[in-house]
Amino acid sequence: MLATGTIAAAGTLGILIPPSTILIVYGILTEESIGKLFVAGLLPGLILSLFFVATVAIICMRNPQLGPAGARTTWKQKIKATKGIVEAFILFVLTIGGLFLGWFSPTQAGAIGAGGALLIGLIRRQLTWKVFFESGKDGLRTSCMVLLIIMGATVFGHFMAVTMIPFKLADWVGSLPIPSFAIMAIIVFIYFIGGFFMDSMALVVVTIPIFFPLVMRLGFDSIWFGVIIVLVAEMGVITPPVGVNVFVIKGIAPEIPLEVIFKGILPFLLALILFTIILMVFPQIATFLPSLVTY
């Protein structure tokens, strides 16, 4: 239960820590800097990772049988075990660090990341023609999917702009005698409920043209709102009935019942909700690093 829950929850971090497809789509829909959105996801992603680590530690302290102690290893063995991720870590620091320092744009960072991955594959002698074509096919499939989603979102966004529905909704809600923070909490709750029934990407594409003008009318930061949306989208991939990550774990370990996996997810979902509340109270967690970006 703990193992499957940990893997499924940890899989959600890929949505927040760059490169994030949802942040890219959000940036395109809102015309916000994708580079700043990527940088904004770093600190919340690291803090959320610590929340998950703390969750595992608390569970094991309460019930040591769920996480029995493994074989002892020396520091030399631990350092040696990290040898396989050195190249990937250097590539990550180069691309994200370059974005942070303004050395290149997000598009150039993507090209450097792709070129670096190609170079790593050649150095490791793991890049065959078959792997190259399969990787290219997967990348092309993902790119076409994102472009089609953006195309549909653009059409929908123009429709919403012509009908003036989001702006009238923003004016109406803004005139209500309700604190802006309470309205923001309602929006987040709508996303949370929507994640139960819709894919996270589809949910973002459909709702951003409606809620984004309202959020801007209330005076919230657009980058902070993007990180909040991604956090709520993370909840959607581990909550029933859509819970994509849970079904992936089920496919890997078919002998484990779905209810056991969902039960293992619950503590991590609570940690995710807690961190979302903290980020809403302290938006500087998401806005501090983007404020230092030089472009």
Side-chain angles (χ1 to χ4, degrees):
M1 181 179 71
L2 178 60
T4 55
T6 302
I7 295 172
T12 64
L13 294 172
I15 305 176
L16 179 59
I17 298 177
S20 167
T21 305
I22 292 183
L23 282 179
I24 292 174
V25 173
Y26 175 85
I28 293 173
L29 293 177
T30 61
E31 298 183 0
E32 184 56 77
S33 168
I34 295 176
K36 288 187 176 182
L37 287 169
F38 277 3
V39 174
L42 284 175
L43 189 56
L46 294 174
I47 296 175
L48 183 58
S49 301
L50 295 178
F51 269 60
F52 287 164
V53 171
T55 301
V56 174
I58 293 171
I59 291 174
C60 291
M61 283 191 293
R62 295 185 61 184
N63 188 354
Q65 293 182 349
L66 292 177
R72 289 186 174 273
T73 56
T74 63
W75 277 105
K76 182 179 180 180
Q77 291 173 314
K78 292 175 182 178
I79 295 174
K80 188 176 180 180
T82 63
K83 183 180 178 181
I85 65 169
V86 172
E87 298 95 334
F89 179 75
I90 293 174
L91 184 61
F92 176 82
V93 171
L94 175 63
T95 52
I96 300 302
L99 278 173
F100 186 80
L101 297 173
W103 291 349
F104 33 72
S105 68
T107 303
Q108 293 169 334
I112 290 173
L118 184 65
L119 182 62
I120 291 172
L122 291 172
I123 293 174
R124 290 185 175 182
R125 299 184 181 275
Q126 296 175 340
L127 185 64
T128 63
W129 282 110
K130 181 180 179 180
V131 172
F132 179 78
F133 283 118
E134 286 295 324
S135 301
K137 185 171 67 174
D138 290 341
L140 181 62
R141 184 186 297 113
T142 302
S143 299
C144 291
M145 177 193 70
V146 172
L147 288 174
L148 284 173
I149 291 173
I150 293 172
M151 181 178 67
T154 302
V155 174
F156 181 67
H158 284 303
F159 168 76
M160 297 302 292
V162 170
T163 58
M164 299 295 290
I165 292 176
F167 307 101
K168 292 183 182 297
L169 177 63
D171 291 336
W172 175 70
V173 173
S175 64
L176 293 176
I178 303 175
S180 58
F181 191 85
I183 297 174
M184 188 67 214
I186 294 173
I187 293 173
V188 172
F189 182 72
I190 292 173
Y191 273 99
F192 177 69
I193 298 300
F196 286 5
F197 309 101
M198 292 182 65
D199 176 74
S200 56
M201 181 70 75
L203 181 63
V204 169
V205 168
V206 170
T207 56
I208 285 300
I210 299 173
F211 288 127
F212 186 74
L214 173 58
V215 172
M216 295 298 98
R217 172 74 168 74
L218 295 174
F220 290 104
D221 186 90
S222 59
I223 291 179
W224 168 81
F225 180 62
V227 176
I228 288 289
I229 291 306
V230 171
L231 282 173
V232 182
E234 287 188 34
M235 301 179 196
V237 299
I238 58 175
T239 51
V242 176
V244 177
N245 282 21
V246 174
F247 286 97
V248 170
I249 299 299
K250 175 65 176 177
I252 297 174
E255 70 279 2
I256 303 177
L258 272 176
E259 57 268 22
V260 173
I261 304 176
F262 277 119
K263 187 177 179 181
I265 281 294
L266 184 58
F268 299 96
L269 179 61
L270 295 176
L272 190 51
I273 293 173
L274 176 61
F275 179 66
T276 303
I277 295 172
I278 292 174
L279 185 60
M280 291 181 67
V281 177
F282 301 102
Q284 297 84 358
I285 296 174
T287 59
F288 172 68
L289 288 180
S291 67
L292 302 178
V293 174
T294 56
Y295 67 92

